[in-house]
Amino acid sequence: MRKHKKYILLAIVTLSVTTVFSQIRKNDTINTGVVDIVKPYKPTISDAFKVKEVPPLVDEETATKKELKYNILSFPVASTFTPAKGKAAVVEKAKPIELFDNYATLAVGTYTTILGEVYLNHALSRTESVGGYLSHHSSQGGIEGLAFDDNFSSTKLNAKYSNELRDFAWQVEGGFQHDMFNWYGVPESQITVAQANSIDVDHTFYSAHLAGDITFENSYINSASLLLRHFGDDQDSEENRFIAKAKVDVPINSEEISTEVKLDYIGGTFYRAYSVNTPLEHRNIHLAVSPTYQLKQDDLTVNVGASVSYLRNFETKDNNFYVYPNVTATYRLVSDVLIAYGGITGELIQNSYYDFASENPFVSPTLFVTPTDQQYNGYLGLKGKITRNSSYNISASYVAENNKALIRNNEISLTTQNYAYGNSFGTVYDDVETFGIAGEIAIDVARNFKMSVKAEYFKYSTDNEAEAWNLPELKGSLFLDYQVTEQIFAGANLFYVGERKDQFFLNDGFIFIMPSTVVLESYFDANAHVGYHINDKFSVFAKANNITNEGYQKWQNFPVQSFQVLAGATYKFDF
């Protein structure tokens, strides 16, 4: 009991002391302290240890695999099935087409027509080759109702050399051409006078040219070309022309401007003018620079540029500058199905005696030759694919030209010249505006059948001339090409040309008839051909021209040959 009293007394004393200190603490004043942070707190994350999904088992009975024992009870089964042996399908391989670098063609036909062609090409090495071309087309004529000879002939000879290297390729070529025609289109009212004067209606053209071009890879200079041509006739007329062109990319900052540069010189002389016996000359030089910048964004492509031309006329001593727009654009509205395109361009067109004689071989050697200022050539169109094998193209255009060359029948002057009986043509110039609409459809089926149809409509407006002489308002064409079998091939082409207007003018010093307009009827020219490949080298063919047997007049008083048949053979070879 005493022992317990001692412990009880100790507890009471301890509690009393604690109570006294607690009361004294309540009366103390708590002072604020300042805590200085020496280093910011940087918590760290300890590495985590992933608990294994499959803890190890130490149970020997569970870890030990039991051995399985089984037996297969087999017994025979009767079967009558016999599988057939597999056989690979046989694919017929098409026989490779053997290609030849050379060919020769010879054909004869009605109107004593002879057609011959020879094309040669030979590789000197892996990069070099030489080639040549010779052609002859002639006819002894025989058009019904003519009082004068209507035979003609045309012979061409060309040769070339080409070389293709790693960074550039170049070629040079030259040739000669000889053509003979007749001014047989004497009006019926003038035949008696022309026969009495024993006019000689045959005339000859000849030309020689030398040309070359070069193209570069990975260079600011893309390409360049040169042409030197001499052209003349047996009437003491001659013409020389030199054309140099280059296409370069001009770097400006990080962009490139595609620029075309052209130098065109022409000089020609005619023995006399049509009405007076004085020489007629034309000589000028044309320099043009045409920069273009291309913009592309998604399906839109725009070419923005201009063309600046300088013309020096050495006959009149005139110097003229011309500025033309050169803007084109295409936009894919629906991939390849519907593509819109348009543009507005212009240029200075250098006319020449060679070009006029190529278009109309019955022109007189008395032409007035001067350039044409094509101020605007604006067009809009839609093109695309109808199906995988067919396409279309429709467009509308407007062209404004100053000094446009028009070919018109010469007046009947009855001088001593063989071409002065209304049987030749000259040139007149006028400001002409042309509005046109065109549509075309092309079909290509499995490469065996090809067809294209095109139609064009034009509306002309002239300033001084009564009509846009010899320009049709309507033109159409149809081309067919059909590979019937591997050996048989056929094709056809049809042309339609609407009415044209020309002039009749009699002024011989005794009789004067005011100029009158003559309407040339529209014509339809149908042609067809068929051929047979005897083997890879030999083929035979036949052609029929002007099947409708129309003796139409392409030019006033000049009817063409009616129905014609031509047959011949072609031989392909290598050497």
Side-chain angles (χ1 to χ4, degrees):
M1 185 64 177
R2 289 180 179 178
K3 188 182 295 187
H4 291 295
K5 288 181 179 180
K6 183 172 60 177
Y7 287 112
I8 294 171
L9 181 61
L10 180 61
I12 293 172
V13 173
T14 301
L15 292 172
S16 300
V17 174
T18 302
T19 304
V20 172
F21 276 100
S22 298
Q23 292 175 355
I24 295 174
R25 195 64 174 170
K26 291 180 180 179
N27 297 327
D28 292 341
T29 301
I30 299 175
N31 296 326
T32 60
V34 177
V35 179
D36 295 329
I37 300 174
V38 178
K39 183 179 180 180
Y41 175 64
K42 293 184 178 180
T44 59
I45 300 175
S46 301
D47 294 336
F49 298 94
K50 186 177 180 181
V51 178
K52 293 184 179 180
E53 295 180 358
V54 182
L57 298 177
V58 296
D59 189 355
E60 294 181 357
E61 294 183 359
T62 304
T64 304
K65 294 183 179 180
K66 294 182 179 181
E67 183 180 358
L68 298 178
K69 294 181 180 180
Y70 56 90
N71 295 322
I72 298 175
L73 181 61
S74 60
F75 56 90
V77 177
S79 176
T80 58
F81 173 71
T82 303
K85 294 182 179 180
K87 185 178 180 181
V90 178
V91 178
E92 295 184 1
K93 296 182 179 180
K95 183 180 178 181
I97 300 175
E98 187 174 2
L99 302 177
F100 299 91
D101 293 332
N102 314 277
Y103 75 87
T105 296
L106 180 63
V108 295
T110 54
Y111 294 94
T112 318
T113 300
I114 299 176
L115 175 64
E117 292 182 355
V118 176
Y119 177 80
L120 304 174
N121 187 71
H122 180 65
L124 299 176
S125 65
R126 188 174 59 88
T127 60
E128 297 175 288
S129 66
V130 294
Y133 176 73
L134 173 64
S135 71
H136 175 79
H137 184 200
S138 64
S139 174
Q140 297 303 310
I143 301 175
E144 295 183 1
L146 295 182
F148 299 92
D149 294 335
D150 60 304
N151 58 304
F152 70 89
S153 70
S154 178
T155 303
K156 300 177 183 179
L157 175 63
N158 276 42
K160 71 170 185 176
Y161 168 82
S162 62
N163 194 351
E164 296 185 8
L165 302 176
R166 185 181 66 177
D167 297 326
F168 63 93
W170 63 279
Q171 74 171 10
V172 60
E173 62 102 6
F176 302 91
Q177 183 171 346
H178 181 276
D179 299 315
M180 192 278 292
F181 298 95
N182 285 277
W183 289 303
Y184 62 85
V186 178
E188 187 174 351
S189 60
Q190 308 301 319
I191 292 178
T192 302
V193 178
Q195 289 177 334
N197 293 334
S198 301
I199 65 172
D200 186 8
V201 296
D202 70 290
H203 60 285
T204 301
F205 300 112
Y206 60 88
S207 67
H209 75 276
L210 181 65
D213 62 78
I214 184 171
T215 57
F216 296 91
E217 296 289 341
N218 302 321
S219 174
Y220 287 118
I221 302 176
N222 295 326
S223 62
S225 64
L226 294 173
L227 171 65
L228 177 62
R229 181 176 59 231
H230 176 76
F231 179 72
D233 58 29
D234 60 348
Q235 309 291 318
D236 296 329
S237 306
E238 61 179 13
E239 181 182 73
N240 296 310
R241 191 169 188 182
F242 174 77
I243 302 176
K245 296 180 181 179
K247 187 175 182 181
V248 299
D249 292 330
V250 179
I252 299 179
N253 294 330
S254 60
E255 305 293 339
E256 291 185 354
I257 307 297
S258 178
T259 305
E260 294 185 7
V261 181
K262 179 181 179 181
L263 175 66
D264 189 350
Y265 168 81
I266 189 170
T269 303
F270 295 104
Y271 178 72
R272 56 164 293 159
Y274 187 79
S275 301
V276 293
N277 190 14
T278 57
L280 187 62
E281 297 183 358
H282 58 281
R283 189 161 58 98
N284 61 63
I285 189 169
H286 169 216
L287 177 63
V289 180
S290 304
T292 303
Y293 178 67
Q294 187 176 84
L295 300 171
K296 280 189 175 182
Q297 184 176 0
D298 298 331
D299 295 327
L300 176 65
T301 302
V302 180
N303 296 305
V304 181
S307 180
V308 180
S309 294
Y310 165 74
L311 179 68
R312 166 66 175 178
N313 191 321
F314 295 102
E315 299 302 318
T316 62
K317 310 300 181 183
D318 291 335
N319 298 287
N320 295 297
F321 285 92
Y322 304 87
V323 179
Y324 302 101
N326 188 13
V327 180
T328 61
T330 60
Y331 182 65
R332 294 180 177 271
L333 298 172
V334 185
S335 185
D336 292 335
V337 177
L338 184 61
I339 302 174
Y341 66 93
I344 178 169
T345 62
E347 63 176 326
L348 187 67
I349 302 174
Q350 187 81 287
N351 296 311
S352 68
Y353 182 30
Y354 174 84
D355 294 333
F356 291 136
S358 299
E359 181 181 359
N360 183 345
F362 310 112
V363 293
S364 62
T366 59
L367 303 181
F368 178 64
V369 180
T370 190
T372 295
D373 175 18
Q374 187 182 89
Q375 294 181 313
Y376 305 103
N377 181 5
Y379 58 91
L380 290 172
L382 293 173
K383 63 181 179 179
K385 290 185 176 182
I386 303 173
T387 64
R388 186 181 63 178
N389 300 319
S390 60
S391 61
Y392 68 93
N393 187 358
I394 56 175
S395 63
S397 63
Y398 169 78
V399 182
E401 296 171 293
N402 291 338
N403 285 331
K404 180 178 177 63
L406 302 173
I407 297 180
R408 187 183 68 184
N409 187 252
N410 284 324
E411 66 180 64
I412 303 173
S413 62
L414 298 188
T415 64
T416 58
Q417 306 304 317
N418 298 317
Y419 47 79
Y421 296 81
N423 57 337
S424 67
F425 297 83
T427 56
V428 292
Y429 293 83
D430 196 7
D431 297 344
V432 181
E433 296 179 356
T434 306
F435 173 75
I437 299 176
E440 182 178 6
I441 295 178
I443 299 174
D444 187 352
V445 181
R447 297 184 180 180
N448 291 331
F449 177 78
K450 297 180 181 179
M451 181 184 73
S452 64
V453 181
K454 185 176 183 179
E456 297 175 282
Y457 170 78
F458 302 98
K459 184 67 176 178
Y460 306 99
S461 175
T462 58
D463 280 356
N464 299 318
E465 297 295 323
E467 302 288 345
W469 307 115
N470 285 295
L471 295 180
E473 290 189 351
L474 187 62
K475 295 172 64 177
S477 62
L478 170 66
F479 294 92
L480 298 171
D481 190 6
Y482 182 42
Q483 187 71 36
V484 183
T485 65
E486 292 184 0
Q487 287 77 33
I488 303 175
F489 60 92
N493 52 76
L494 299 87
F495 302 94
Y496 174 81
V497 177
E499 292 183 349
R500 292 135 295 133
K501 296 179 180 179
D502 205 341
Q503 177 180 276
F504 177 81
F505 184 22
L506 175 58
N507 182 22
D508 61 356
F510 301 99
I511 301 176
F512 178 81
I513 299 178
M514 290 293 295
S516 60
T517 299
V518 177
V519 177
L520 302 180
E521 295 182 357
S522 61
Y523 64 86
F524 180 76
D525 193 344
N527 312 282
H529 68 271
V530 63
Y532 181 79
H533 295 295
I534 300 175
N535 52 42
D536 291 339
K537 294 186 176 181
F538 280 100
S539 301
V540 293
F541 62 88
K543 295 182 179 181
N545 297 328
N546 199 359
I547 298 175
T548 56
N549 199 30
E550 293 187 28
Y552 61 84
Q553 295 184 16
K554 184 176 181 180
W555 303 100
Q556 184 184 178
N557 302 321
F558 285 84
V560 300
Q561 295 178 353
S562 298
F563 179 68
Q564 309 151 47
V565 176
L566 189 74
T570 299
Y571 174 65
K572 304 174 186 177
F573 60 95
D574 284 329
F575 63 89

